[in-house]
Amino acid sequence: MSTEMQEMHIDIGLVNTIVARSSLSFIDGEKGILEYVGYDIDDLARQSTFEETTYLLWYCHLPSRSELADFTAKIRSNYDLSEAMWDMIVSLPRDASPMHALRTLTSALSLEDPAADDPSEEANARKSLFMLAKMPALIAGFDRHRKGLDLVRPDLDAPLAESFLYMLTGEKPTERMARAMDICLILHADHGFNASTFASLVTISTLSDMYSAVTTAIGTLKGPLHGGANQGVMLMLDEISTIDEVEPYVLQKFANKERIMGFGHRVYKAYDPRATYLKTFAEGIAQDTGNNELFAKSQRIEEVMDREVGAKGIYPNVDFYSATTYFSLGIDLDLFTPLFAMSRVSGWTAHCLEYLRENRLIRPRCDYVGPHEQTYVSISQR
Ligand code: ACO
């Protein structure tokens, strides 16, 4: 090992490594605090909108009324897709997974952007807005295509969450449903250097482009240890038929050394503040939609987990109660992770824009533990 390497330390999983500075989200994992640019997540969930929260993450201040009106108008004017993109949606295999479809379609957006490789901050901000505005149509469009339904164009007069539900169902959602969707988008918008955000930064740090960075992030979010966990939570709730089955189910998982999806977090060793909010919210939505049993099962899982591993700091994370919320909203379980992407695109792009201002190539080292000085034997003699 070279002297330079000897001075470095190994940190598998980057558990104890701070990679860069950021002014976007603050997390205190021990106290269970999350702030976006200094604003508490609870205040934002109660009072803000996804559009305003995105503005906050991109420009690091709350917009004035005219700034918000202007920003919202720009997003809405970018909701619709080109005919080529709608055609591409209906050309995809119907049995493809929505996350694979979303990754492919987001990447394809770059093909019709002549400035896809323009590295200026202005162009990158425009591309960020372009992707954020169009992702709802990509997700809803693919879902309708796979179900053999006619595609529904966006509602250009509605907020992003409402327009998404309209495209998905073909019906104007109730105010409560639209607000529920909007709150979920706010809660998932950003979260420090989580795996998908970090992946997007690795890509952008090579001075690649915003479409590539977001495509990378979608692929990373998909994993069950990250954004894919919300789908895993719903699968688990489906497997448990009654409340009485919860305890033996959880204990059996522990006996098999399996994880309970929607619990635990790399940073939070206290209750995830997003889960605190979502829990109350999920209860209300579940009551409104006749899904009380589902909420009760979730709550029982939490009780058993608290008894078994609460002392280790393993609590519900954002994915746990978002599963109940999305299910109660009538959303198919394999759309849960695409919805996460539809929100987190605001955080991914915010971090890329921020990182590019003081860009440095992200290129860690590995500790080589393989052999040295091997003698090459030609193939004929092996
Ligand atoms: N169920 C059971 N045990 C768990 C869980 C869980 N969900 N999560 C952590 N543990 C246990 C581990 O078995 C380990 O126990 P041990 O010390 O006795 O071996 C200990 O807690 C620490 O776990 P690590 O995997 O080392 O913690 P890490 O920080 O690497 O992992 C992670 C965090 C991946 C989120 C983990 O908690 C997990 O797998 N959770 C389930 C998947 C999930 O919900 N992911 C979503 C995360 S939030 C998000 O990405 C939006």
Side-chain angles (χ1 to χ4, degrees):
M1 198 189 272
S2 67
T3 327
E4 183 199 16
M5 289 281 280
Q6 273 167 10
E7 284 170 10
M8 295 181 185
H9 68 281
I10 187 161
D11 182 14
I12 292 169
L14 301 183
V15 180
N16 294 306
T17 300
I18 295 173
V19 175
R21 295 195 170 86
S22 171
S23 308
L24 303 183
S25 50
F26 168 77
I27 305 166
D28 184 329
E30 278 162 30
K31 294 195 185 128
I33 296 172
L34 169 62
E35 293 171 349
Y36 295 165
V37 197
Y39 294 94
D40 191 86
I41 191 64
D42 203 61
D43 287 339
L44 292 170
R46 283 176 209 283
Q47 300 175 66
S48 187
T49 61
F50 179 57
E51 284 81 350
E52 184 183 65
T53 298
T54 301
Y55 186 101
L56 174 66
L57 289 169
W58 285 357
Y59 300 104
C60 287
H61 66 92
L62 283 175
S64 65
R65 270 191 221 190
S66 66
E67 283 169 331
L68 183 60
D70 190 39
F71 186 62
T72 305
K74 272 195 203 136
I75 295 177
R76 291 183 190 181
S77 68
N78 277 283
Y79 277 170
D80 209 353
L81 304 174
S82 67
E83 293 312 317
M85 283 305 299
W86 288 115
D87 288 348
M88 185 177 283
I89 289 176
V90 295
S91 74
L92 295 180
R94 288 206 154 108
D95 57 355
S97 118
M99 266 312 259
H100 285 291
L102 178 64
R103 195 192 54 237
T104 303
L105 292 166
T106 304
S107 176
L109 287 176
S110 68
L111 305 177
E112 51 187 28
D113 184 349
D117 283 317
D118 181 343
S120 67
E121 178 150 356
E122 193 193 355
N124 284 337
R126 190 188 49 70
K127 285 176 257 181
S128 304
L129 188 134
F130 192 71
M131 285 186 276
L132 177 116
K134 293 189 190 309
M135 232 183 236
L138 301 179
I139 298 167
F142 177 71
D143 189 58
R144 290 188 71 87
H145 158 63
R146 68 176 175 159
K147 290 176 175 155
L149 300 169
D150 288 340
L151 301 185
V152 176
R153 298 259 172 168
D155 179 348
L156 303 184
D157 295 321
L160 188 137
E162 185 181 326
S163 174
F164 168 71
L165 289 173
Y166 170 68
M167 285 186 281
L168 192 71
T169 62
E171 284 167 23
K172 202 171 162 54
T174 63
E175 213 170 287
R176 191 171 165 86
M177 280 178 83
R179 182 66 188 139
M181 188 73 240
D182 198 45
I183 289 171
C184 287
L185 296 181
I186 294 170
L187 292 174
H188 287 86
D190 193 39
H191 207 239
F193 278 17
N194 58 86
S196 55
T197 299
F198 181 61
S200 74
L201 293 179
V202 172
T203 300
I204 209 67
S205 83
T206 70
L207 300 183
S208 181
D209 68 285
M210 295 298 276
Y211 294 103
S212 299
V214 170
T215 305
T216 304
I218 296 173
T220 308
L221 183 75
K222 184 175 153 287
L225 294 188
H226 189 13
N230 54 14
Q231 187 173 336
V233 173
M234 201 58 232
L235 288 170
M236 168 172 75
L237 287 166
D238 251 5
E239 275 172 15
I240 305 172
S241 312
T242 62
I243 294 199
D244 292 343
E245 284 177 28
V246 167
E247 184 165 5
Y249 179 95
V250 172
L251 296 180
Q252 189 57 49
K253 286 268 176 196
F254 277 118
N256 297 344
K257 303 227 173 304
E258 288 175 51
R259 289 184 177 210
I260 303 295
M261 291 291 116
F263 281 83
H265 198 276
R266 173 61 61 80
V267 184
Y268 293 117
K269 300 305 164 204
Y271 214 98
D272 181 335
R274 301 165 298 174
T276 313
Y277 188 84
L278 267 171
K279 182 178 176 181
T280 320
F281 197 69
E283 185 171 18
I285 290 271
Q287 263 167 13
D288 282 3
T289 54
N291 285 297
N292 295 341
E293 169 90 13
L294 185 72
F295 182 80
K297 271 193 280 180
S298 308
Q299 219 176 3
R300 180 75 189 123
I301 295 175
E302 187 186 334
E303 280 165 19
V304 178
M305 284 296 279
D306 192 43
R307 190 190 70 207
E308 294 297 315
V309 289
K312 282 167 84 177
I314 299 172
Y315 296 105
N317 57 49
V318 68
D319 283 328
F320 190 62
Y321 285 106
S322 65
T324 321
T325 307
Y326 289 149
F327 183 85
S328 301
L329 285 175
I331 292 169
D332 289 356
L333 86 152
D334 58 359
L335 292 185
F336 291 6
T337 317
L339 289 192
F340 195 157
M342 190 171 105
S343 161
R344 187 55 63 82
V345 66
S346 61
W348 293 329
T349 49
H351 280 281
C352 286
L353 292 166
E354 180 185 53
Y355 191 81
L356 280 172
R357 286 180 206 124
E358 288 183 35
N359 187 56
R360 181 119 200 242
L361 176 73
I362 299 174
R363 202 297 186 194
R365 307 281 186 94
C366 68
D367 180 17
Y368 176 73
V369 292
H372 292 282
E373 298 179 7
Q374 302 247 60
T375 306
Y376 183 85
V377 179
S378 71
I379 189 102
S380 58
Q381 294 180 2
R382 267 178 257 154

